[in-house]
Amino acid sequence: MSKALARTVAVVAIALGAVLGGAQAASAHDSLESTSPAAGTTVSSLSEVSLDFSANLLGYDGGNIVIVLGPDGQHYETDCVTLSGPTLTVPVALGAAGEYQVEWRAVSSDGHPISGSYSFTSTETGSSTGLAQSPCADAAGAGQATAPATETPASGAPSGLTLGLVIGGVVVVLVGVLVVIILRTRSREE
């Protein structure tokens, strides 16, 4: 194998590695960074539950859901979830003291759904009796919040998918330029 051909093979292998490595990074799902109240904590009063993610979430209709279930199995969220960049927030009015379960689903910046749950304890004895289903439940009454989330414009930062596509495109163009340069150099050597 000639030196020029060996260089061409090496450049193509490195370029493919860079492109494939960029595609994996672009498809990584966002993760839940923090919650308020935090998992496992005890609160004496609470007016909202907030979840902060590692990147700006997408605001697909019905894709972002946060429900708060009390010790009696009732819903204690008082309105639909709102989205502001990487943060989901839902207002709550807690009832009896005890353990509350937060269940959530969000649309990651790469377009894939992510979900989870956690619990916290309340010592507050609120006046709310809760609801049998979420105030944002669908018409069929499935008990899950499916109303559209409202989205506040984010800070302008690109999503992970957009960033991955741009980086991947730049790498492909650079590989094309390198291949042309190598082929021109090779044809001059012959």
Side-chain angles (χ1 to χ4, degrees):
M1 183 183 309
S2 71
K3 287 183 180 181
L5 183 59
R7 274 187 273 155
T8 303
V9 170
V11 167
V12 170
I14 290 170
L16 283 175
V19 169
L20 294 176
Q24 287 177 342
S27 67
H29 301 315
D30 301 329
S31 60
L32 181 62
E33 297 276 309
S34 65
T35 62
S36 177
T41 60
T42 299
V43 297
S44 59
S45 67
L46 188 66
S47 61
E48 68 181 23
V49 170
S50 294
L51 293 88
D52 293 312
F53 293 85
S54 59
N56 291 339
L57 301 173
L58 299 180
Y60 292 131
D61 289 346
N64 298 309
I65 298 167
V66 177
I67 61 173
V68 181
L69 299 170
D72 55 359
Q74 298 283 57
H75 287 261
Y76 286 90
E77 65 274 16
T78 59
D79 202 353
C80 298
V81 66
T82 58
L83 170 63
S84 179
T87 304
L88 291 176
T89 304
V90 66
V92 297
L94 301 184
E99 185 174 88
Y100 285 77
Q101 183 76 22
V102 177
E103 298 176 3
W104 59 270
R105 182 181 73 206
V107 181
S108 183
S109 63
D110 66 0
H112 290 97
I114 54 176
S115 62
S117 64
Y118 73 94
S119 61
F120 66 90
T121 302
S122 172
T123 59
E124 174 181 10
T125 304
S127 59
S128 178
T129 56
L131 300 169
Q133 66 180 13
S134 173
C136 298
D138 60 7
Q144 294 290 325
T146 57
T150 58
E151 183 173 1
T152 304
S155 63
S159 72
L161 178 61
T162 303
L163 190 58
L165 290 173
V166 168
I167 291 171
V170 169
V171 169
V172 168
V173 169
L174 288 174
V175 168
V177 169
L178 286 173
V179 168
V180 168
I181 290 171
I182 290 170
L183 290 176
R184 282 188 181 172
T185 304
R186 183 175 173 204
S187 66
R188 288 181 190 157
E189 290 175 358
E190 292 176 354

